[in-house]
Amino acid sequence: MNLLKLIPRAEFERIRNTGVPEEVRLALIADMCRANTLTAVKLAGSGHLGSSFSAMDIVVLLYYRVMNTMRLGIDHPDRDIYFSSKGHDVPGLYSVLHSLGVLSRDNLLRLRRLGGLDGHPDIAIPGIESNSGSLGMGISKGKGMALAKAFAGRGGRVFVLTGDGELQEGQIYEALQSAVQLGVTNLHVIVDHNKVQSDKLVREITDLGNLEEKFRSFGWHVKRCDGHDFVSLEAALNEFENVRGRPKILIADTIKGRGVSFMEHPQALKEGGGLYRWHAGAPADEPFWEGYQEITGRINGLLEKHGLGPLRLEDIETGEKAQSGVSSEYVAEAFGRALVDVAKTRKDLVVLDADLAADCRLRYFEEACPERFIENGIAEQDMVSTAGGLALQGFLPVVNSFAAFLASRANEQIYTNACEGKRIIYVCHYAGLIPAGPGKSHQSVRDISLFGALPGFEVIEPCNGDETRMAVDYCVNRSKGNCVLRLVIGPSPRKIELPCEYRLCIGKGVFLKEGTDGVLFSYGSVMLHEALKASDVLQKQGVSLAVMNMPWLNALDREWFAEVAVRFPALYVLEDHCVVGGLGDRLLRALVEQDLRLGRKFRCFGVEGFPACGAPLEVLRHHRLDGESLAERLMEHLETKSSTPPGRQP
């Protein structure tokens, strides 16, 4: 076992009860929370450090000096309310709540674990006031809370933290207008203005211009200060208490990665060749300890200066992150490189991105074809309609974002584009249940149903790099309609091996494993891995289960399907999606409409309820979609007596 270090809550109590000046006390607590945030993210294996650190001084000041929340209690109706609209800075908030006794040590050490703390805020967690992580909603939700307090005659203010990159979202400006129109006065918005988005400067993505002037034009009272200066922050927030009749915005100028020198902008950008590398993910061992020692060294130096003893740290044992398997293959990597290849012959190809070029492996295209790459920022609806305009003028747009945001948020814009009859390729990255650490705001398990309801769309999920390259070629060069590519973002649990003669053929799948007692249809690297595991488990129990890779999620060659279906007494589907509106519904409909049911067993396995947050294997087990659980469920179903013989046909 490796050892990490945690600052126990007793140390926070010790610092709170010392006689050091208030500004020194707050600086110590903020850095202590930074150290614990670093440990929690390292233990989790992922998380957002850069923005947790930039917002830390703001959050500490609010909870320790400004808000009445801890004095009245976190459930008191007259309490002040704080939440982050961007949400990915929640590891820092968790550390502050732990320092105040709201979250236990065990809570903090179960970041991004099943039954622990979600990777983005969830109101099931004590002290969390609103779910967030899907950007742009916070000011609107805060406005609703503020109105509710006024309607009910309750006391307390509402504080909402936004990111500066988040200000590219259109809903932000709807909320800015309506809050003034509705006369909301007990709403305080704080902008964590750290100048950096996921990996580039905000001004390089979409320059926000003069924020003070912009906010004032909406009728808000605006103040600006150093977001790491406790005196300036508190003075600005105190000034708001004397402002009547208007909502208030504080632009807090901060530094992304504040507190660890090599994570701080601008040094981190310089070292990253113009790209910021500490937005998401856990640091490797060497930078972790370098950063941890820098923070704790600064704390101990300040304690010594004021005649106080050094920090007493607690050892934390680390375990291995629960995985269901892992390979070195990324389908997103194959996608990014395939885009560059196909662009050599398709000069009409234009690629659009929503501030996710690194995650979506679009950097290859951006560097190879910068004149045909459009960085749209955090604004999926605007991006999709921009693509519609490009398509109307003869270009072939390839639109990229995380599936959870692209499929749902911009669905009306996608529908309008489709009505115009021009071709667009939509690429839904981060599709499906895994990785599950960020939580339900990022897990996309409803996108197949949303796209499947649109006429003329072909939804494809490739299982490996080879099939991904085939799918890109099909979408660009062969399809006559709109295409959706659904891609797993993480490493494939295994390299799915396809037959050497395999070619992508519309509406048809391919056997990965032969069998006689039933066939299990699935798609994508994550669930095909579990399907093959389940088949192997059943084989040891004398059950022969075939596994079919079916990349076409809403297109079906019915003649081919009929030939497959009549071979088996039982047909099963394993979805990387909810059980409604996915591949299973498509196949069941074909069975019924072609009179192929004939006593055959049919069952669809998929995500039921909201997707759980945690490590991959524990979340798969929670939903009973891992290979072992799936084998148990299949065996139970196979052993049930059917009222009608299976009726095999030649």
Side-chain angles (χ1 to χ4, degrees), residues 23 114 169 178 188 247 284 291 325 332 383 441 460 493 503 562 568 571 596:
E23 188 177 352
L114 188 67
E169 284 280 10
S178 61
H188 300 63
M383 176 174 63
S441 66
I460 309 166
R503 296 294 181 270
F568 298 96
L571 281 73
L596 295 169

Side-chain angles (χ1 to χ4, degrees), residues 512-562:
L512 302 180
K513 186 176 181 180
E514 294 286 349
T516 57
D517 295 322
V519 58
L520 177 57
F521 293 84
S522 194
Y523 49 89
S525 60
V526 170
M527 291 308 177
L528 283 171
H529 172 66
E530 302 305 329
L532 290 165
K533 281 173 60 181
S535 179
D536 291 343
V537 171
L538 290 172
Q539 187 172 348
K540 294 175 183 177
Q541 300 175 37
V543 176
S544 177
L545 181 72
V547 176
M548 174 75 75
N549 168 40
M550 184 56 183
W552 303 91
L553 305 184
N554 72 332
L556 186 65
D557 183 315
R558 293 200 168 200
E559 183 178 342
W560 167 85
F561 178 64

Side-chain angles (χ1 to χ4, degrees), residues 331 403 426-429 431-433 444-448 459-462 484-488 523 553 576-578:
V331 295
Y426 299 95
V427 189
C428 290
H429 301 261
L433 182 64
S444 186
V445 295
R446 55 202 165 106
D447 53 284
I448 301 172
V459 185
I460 309 166
E461 179 163 349
V484 179
L485 271 179
R486 195 173 191 262
L487 301 178
V488 172
Y523 49 89
L553 305 184
D576 197 1
H577 190 264
C578 68

Side-chain angles (χ1 to χ4, degrees), residues 490-507:
S492 300
R494 72 167 84 178
K495 172 71 182 287
I496 302 297
E497 297 295 339
L498 292 166
C500 59
E501 72 279 3
Y502 173 72
R503 296 294 181 270
L504 193 67
C505 185
I506 185 167

Side-chain angles (χ1 to χ4, degrees), residues 7 134 147 194 225 264 273 275 317 325 340 477 491 503 528 608:
I7 302 174
S134 183
L147 287 168
N194 62 36
C225 75
E264 291 185 353
L275 298 175
E317 287 189 346
V340 175
N477 293 320
R503 296 294 181 270
L528 283 171
E608 301 195 45

Side-chain angles (χ1 to χ4, degrees), residues 19 33 38 86 110 152 161 216 237 256 287 332 341 345 360-361 445 480 490 522 551 558 580 631:
C33 288
L38 190 56
K86 56 182 176 175
R110 289 193 58 77
L161 185 79
R216 288 193 180 102
L237 293 171
K256 195 155 186 172
D341 290 340
T345 56
C360 299
R361 303 301 199 274
V445 295
K480 303 301 181 186
S522 194
R558 293 200 168 200
V580 176

Side-chain angles (χ1 to χ4, degrees), residues 34 38 53 255-271 276 278 287 290-295 298:
R34 284 187 175 94
L38 190 56
F53 287 179
I255 297 171
K256 195 155 186 172
R258 174 72 168 197
V260 176
S261 57
F262 59 83
M263 294 185 184
E264 291 185 353
H265 159 60
Q267 180 178 335
L269 279 169
K270 183 178 180 180
E271 292 177 355
Y276 187 82
W278 303 107
E290 184 180 345
Y292 196 85
Q293 289 165 5
E294 180 178 340
I295 296 171
R298 185 168 59 246

